[in-house]
Amino acid sequence: MDHDLQLQELAHRFKNLLTIVRAVVGQSLRSAVSIEDAGAAIDGRLATLNRTVEQLLDADWNTAPLAVLAQNALVHFSAYADRWQCGGPAVDLGPSSAMTLVLALNELATNAVKYGAFSNNTGTVELVWQVVELGDDAELWLQWTERGGPPVQKPERQGFGSRLISTAAGRGLRGLN
């Protein structure tokens, strides 16, 4: 690859990353109840993105193993490490899907701490995945299961995490790249 093409590719990746950072910061500020809450949310989300970027850079920005991405997304929640488990077959995700997935997993874990299985002393979380063959195609199925938490209640408002999980993850994970 010639030098000019490498610079163009680097510029493109950097712009994409900055777009993600701007969205994370903007949405975190919009949905925060206090400046402290916003700061903590931004810090956690950017730390998660940072670990993902480091992992992708180590792989020449090609793919990252889903198992390692899941572990990195949940490392911020180490206080609950004995209460969550994850696993599935070896699957590699491209940069866009990797960043979308770790942000979604971070949001799910944050919600588990605030409202779900991690909000008490007994709840557990399990993340499992499988590849389902569909003729010539395959789909990655992810399942996040919380057990032992309080009863599920409909949220009063849709915050950044809910929007990320319901819209961006649905679009961003198509094609696993």
Side-chain angles (χ1 to χ4, degrees):
M1 186 180 291
D2 76 3
H3 182 70
D4 288 339
L5 191 56
Q6 286 177 329
L7 285 176
Q8 287 175 350
E9 180 63 22
L10 180 61
H12 175 72
R13 291 176 184 174
F14 188 69
K15 286 178 186 178
N16 286 346
L17 186 56
L18 284 178
T19 298
I20 292 169
V21 169
R22 289 184 69 207
V24 164
V25 171
Q27 291 294 332
S28 298
L29 290 172
R30 268 192 283 294
S31 61
V33 295
S34 69
I35 194 71
E36 292 80 15
D37 182 48
I42 290 168
D43 185 55
R45 290 168 179 149
L46 292 182
T48 299
L49 274 177
N50 182 59
R51 285 188 296 276
T52 305
V53 167
E54 287 175 354
Q55 187 176 356
L56 288 165
L57 287 172
D58 287 345
D60 294 329
W61 206 261
N62 288 316
T63 62
L66 175 53
V68 177
L69 289 168
Q71 293 293 327
N72 285 345
L74 299 172
V75 75
H76 187 68
F77 302 91
S78 60
Y80 308 95
D82 61 330
R83 296 171 48 199
W84 59 264
Q85 57 183 309
C86 62
V91 174
D92 290 330
L93 299 181
S96 177
S97 291
M99 286 198 250
T100 300
L101 179 65
V102 296
L103 284 174
L105 292 176
N106 183 272
E107 295 307 316
L108 287 167
T110 298
N111 287 342
V113 170
K114 290 181 179 179
Y115 316 109
F118 292 156
S119 68
N120 62 29
N121 293 325
T122 59
T124 62
V125 171
E126 179 183 44
L127 169 67
V128 294
W129 60 88
Q130 63 181 327
V131 176
V132 176
E133 303 294 331
L134 302 168
D136 292 338
D137 295 326
E139 288 184 357
L140 175 64
W141 289 8
L142 295 152
Q143 181 176 342
W144 176 276
T145 305
E146 297 187 33
R147 293 183 182 88
V152 176
Q153 295 180 355
K154 184 175 176 145
E156 294 176 13
R157 64 180 177 85
Q158 187 180 31
F160 172 73
S162 298
R163 286 190 300 278
L164 173 75
I165 293 165
S166 66
T167 58
R171 285 192 305 259
L173 294 175
R174 296 208 196 287
L176 303 178
N177 55 34

